[in-house]
């Protein structure tokens, strides 16, 4: 999968001390059969099985799996809160890959860089609690924003919509604001701040 231009991801309200498990290690895959692929920053994903420990099998030949390291696939059209959604979070990843093919182990120009194929990356769980705010690059939208203020999910991207879904349990995002990232000392590409929400389920 080619990197998508102008993608980025930042949680805007976090509680790292008490919610460390909101971040997991993941290995992004795409296609059928699934194969390691480049993953753009902020791509929305779902887990697809645990990654086996490399070089570790028990004597009976049964694979040993990492406790909390998962294969990740792009989230399809998702409507139910039971589908746990993660975002590819390259903000603090040591090896990043730019759209021009250059890899960076350490650096300051990390905005919008993706995770290279075959490399583990951090994936951050999205909490659809009506309070958690996330910042995505404009490239994380499937189409132009226009006057839309709501977003659903398809193929790992935010899909702009004029209205929120109404089915009980549906998950979606609501626009909070827009602006431009600051990269170094200059303005960079546009971002959208969104609140992760879900439609209430009747008791």
């Amino acid at each position: 999968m080619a990197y998508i231009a102008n993608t980025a991801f930042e949680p805007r309200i976090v509680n790292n001390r008490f919610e460390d498990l909101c971040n997991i290690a993941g290995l992004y895959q795409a296609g059928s059969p699934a194969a390691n692929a480049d993953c753009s920053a902020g791509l929305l994903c779902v887990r697809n099985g645990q990654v086996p420990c490399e070089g570790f099998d028990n004597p009976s030949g049964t694979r040993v799996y990492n406790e909390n390291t998962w294969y990740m696939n792009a989230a399809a059209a998702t409507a139910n809160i039971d589908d746990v959604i993660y975002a590819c979070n390259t903000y603090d990843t040591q090896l990043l890959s730019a759209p021009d093919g250059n890899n960076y182990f350490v650096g300051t120009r990390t905005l919008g860089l993706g995770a290279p194929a075959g490399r583990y990356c951090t994936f951050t769980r999205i909490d659809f609690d009506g309070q958690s705010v996330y910042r995505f690059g404009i490239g994380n939208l499937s189409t132009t924003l226009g006057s839309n203020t709501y977003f659903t999910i398809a193929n790992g991207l935010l899909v702009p919509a004029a209205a929120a879904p109404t089915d009980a349990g549906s998950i979606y995002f609501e626009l909070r604001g827009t602006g431009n990232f600051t990269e170094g000392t200059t303005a960079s590409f546009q971002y959208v701040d969104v609140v992760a929400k879900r439609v209430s389920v009747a008791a």
Side-chain angles (χ1 to χ4, degrees):
M1 171 177 184
Y3 290 114
I4 303 170
N6 299 331
T7 55
F9 174 77
E10 293 178 7
R12 302 303 294 171
I13 301 175
V14 295
N15 183 6
N16 289 332
R17 181 177 178 87
F18 296 107
E19 294 181 10
D20 288 340
L21 289 180
C22 74
N23 293 313
I24 64 172
L27 187 63
Y28 180 73
Q29 295 190 329
S32 182
N36 294 339
D38 298 329
C39 188
S40 297
L43 192 73
L44 295 166
C45 297
V46 293
R47 294 177 296 184
N48 185 20
Q50 291 173 287
V51 176
C53 293
E54 296 177 9
F56 290 92
D57 291 330
N58 69 23
S60 68
T62 303
R63 295 306 305 265
V64 178
Y65 292 91
N66 287 298
E67 187 67 23
N68 203 28
T69 303
W70 301 79
Y71 292 114
M72 307 298 288
N73 300 142
T78 306
N80 196 293
I81 192 62
D82 293 333
D83 295 313
V84 182
I85 305 296
Y86 293 83
C88 179
N89 186 351
T90 58
Y91 184 78
D92 195 30
T93 302
Q94 292 182 340
L95 179 66
L96 304 175
S97 182
D100 60 9
N102 291 321
N103 291 334
Y104 299 84
F105 276 96
V106 178
T108 57
R109 185 178 165 266
T110 58
L111 178 64
L113 299 184
R119 293 282 184 164
Y120 292 102
C121 183
T122 299
F123 287 82
T124 299
R125 187 186 69 241
I126 304 296
D127 286 328
F128 293 91
D129 57 6
Q131 302 178 61
S132 297
V133 180
Y134 303 96
R135 178 167 290 178
F136 290 89
I138 197 68
N140 292 100
L141 276 59
S142 64
T143 186
T144 56
L145 178 60
S147 60
N148 296 300
T149 56
Y150 298 94
F151 307 90
T152 55
I153 301 170
N155 300 318
L157 299 175
L158 299 172
V159 181
T166 56
D167 292 340
S170 295
I171 56 178
Y172 65 99
F173 298 90
E174 184 174 358
L175 185 68
R176 183 177 185 179
T178 63
N180 281 68
F181 286 104
T182 300
E183 187 173 14
T185 59
T186 60
S188 188
F189 55 86
Q190 186 181 359
Y191 65 75
V192 293
D193 283 346
V194 296
V195 183
K197 297 185 172 185
R198 68 165 171 163
V199 180
S200 298
V201 178

